[in-house]
Amino acid sequence: MKRFKGKTAIITGASRGIGLAIAQRLVAQEARVVLTGRTKETLTEAVTALGGPAHALGVAGRADDPAHQADTVRQAIETYGSADLLVNNTGINPVYGPMIELDLAAARKIVEINCLAALSWTQQVHDAWMKEHGGAVVNVSSVSGIQPEPMIGMYGASKAMLISMTELLAVELGPDIRVNAIAPAVVKTKFATALYEGREGQLAARYPLKRLGEPEDIGGVVAFLLSEDAAWLTGQTVVVDGGISLAGAAS
């Protein structure tokens, strides 16, 4: 399939895990991808795995740094000629425990990275490219943004805010820019290790599909939402969870 031929995608938090799987799917369908992450070395490895500079570019920096965001968008346009697609994948969850005991500084940081940074990335790409040329945005939310997940409450609250932002931006930016979201359950990545390590079989047994998610499961759905196959789809959150939201809590 060549449905992204001539398109450039910016994917935040893409040196590994879900972000890298999204990049792999897009490159396989002839997109050029610009990856962001904190560590230059892991980004270099990801670019190599994707086929090198003809297909991918890595730009290291903090996801919530406006200067890094602007520089990434600039490099995308200068290197590949456009910034047609944006995937806001970066997310953090530095705390685990009851929300009533949550340190408020940690809560602010979660909202800053998971929500405000995603909005800022969208603003940057909009102003530099999409406002004039159109495009598509996908925000990576979570099933914890749809139903309460004890012990990761602020993470879930931030993902619920991201879903609301997705809906509002879809209304504001149509018809030329589509904005959608996905809501995964537990996906086997380094980020989610604490949720399944040592009990994967027990946890997977609760899922109707009897397994946890793999990054590739998310990559395919994101590629669909970014593509013209989803041309009449905006403001939606696609739940990608192996059916667990039908059966109970995801973790």
Side-chain angles (χ1 to χ4, degrees):
M1 296 177 66
K2 300 181 180 181
R3 59 184 177 184
F4 297 115
K5 188 176 180 62
K7 302 287 187 181
T8 304
I10 296 172
I11 309 168
T12 70
S15 62
R16 64 188 182 202
I18 288 174
L20 181 56
I22 294 168
Q24 289 169 329
R25 182 59 68 96
L26 297 184
V27 167
Q29 297 175 11
E30 298 208 357
R32 289 79 54 90
V33 296
V34 179
L35 317 178
T36 77
R38 291 293 300 270
T39 307
K40 182 177 180 180
E41 290 73 19
T42 55
L43 284 172
T44 299
E45 293 172 2
V47 167
T48 299
L50 291 167
H55 304 282
L57 171 70
V59 185
R62 289 188 3 256
D64 59 338
D65 178 5
H68 165 61
Q69 296 164 1
D71 181 56
T72 301
V73 176
R74 178 189 60 79
Q75 289 198 50
I77 296 171
E78 289 183 357
T79 303
Y80 298 124
S82 64
D84 313 282
L85 311 169
L86 172 66
V87 181
N88 284 308
N89 174 63
T90 300
I92 63 167
N93 184 36
V95 292
Y96 185 82
M99 182 178 283
I100 195 64
E101 300 173 3
L102 181 64
D103 176 76
L104 294 185
R108 293 186 185 97
K109 189 64 175 178
I110 291 169
V111 173
E112 181 71 34
I113 298 294
N114 295 0
C115 301
L116 299 184
L119 175 58
S120 184
W121 277 104
T122 305
Q123 291 173 333
Q124 298 268 11
V125 175
H126 173 266
D127 293 347
W129 185 262
M130 290 187 185
K131 183 177 182 179
E132 182 177 350
H133 302 279
V137 178
V138 172
N139 295 320
V140 179
S141 182
S142 167
V143 291
S144 64
I146 296 173
Q147 60 186 35
E149 288 293 336
M151 311 301 282
I152 57 170
M154 197 63 211
Y155 176 78
S158 72
K159 293 300 188 176
M161 181 177 174
L162 187 60
I163 289 172
S164 180
M165 288 167 50
T166 297
E167 295 169 351
L168 287 163
L169 288 168
V171 172
E172 290 182 359
L173 299 181
D176 296 324
I177 303 170
R178 297 183 300 104
V179 187
N180 290 290
I182 61 165
V186 178
V187 177
K188 292 171 63 177
T189 64
K190 184 175 180 179
F191 176 80
T193 299
L195 298 177
Y196 68 87
E197 190 172 41
R199 61 187 189 108
E200 181 179 343
Q202 175 187 357
L203 186 59
R206 296 163 49 197
Y207 284 62
L209 293 185
K210 303 305 178 188
R211 67 175 178 88
L212 303 185
E214 298 285 351
E216 294 75 17
D217 294 319
I218 309 305
V221 178
V222 172
F224 162 71
L225 290 173
L226 292 172
S227 77
E228 288 302 308
D229 290 334
W232 209 42
L233 193 65
T234 196
Q236 304 305 304
T237 297
V238 179
V239 176
V240 190
D241 72 342
I244 188 62
S245 59
L246 304 175
S251 60

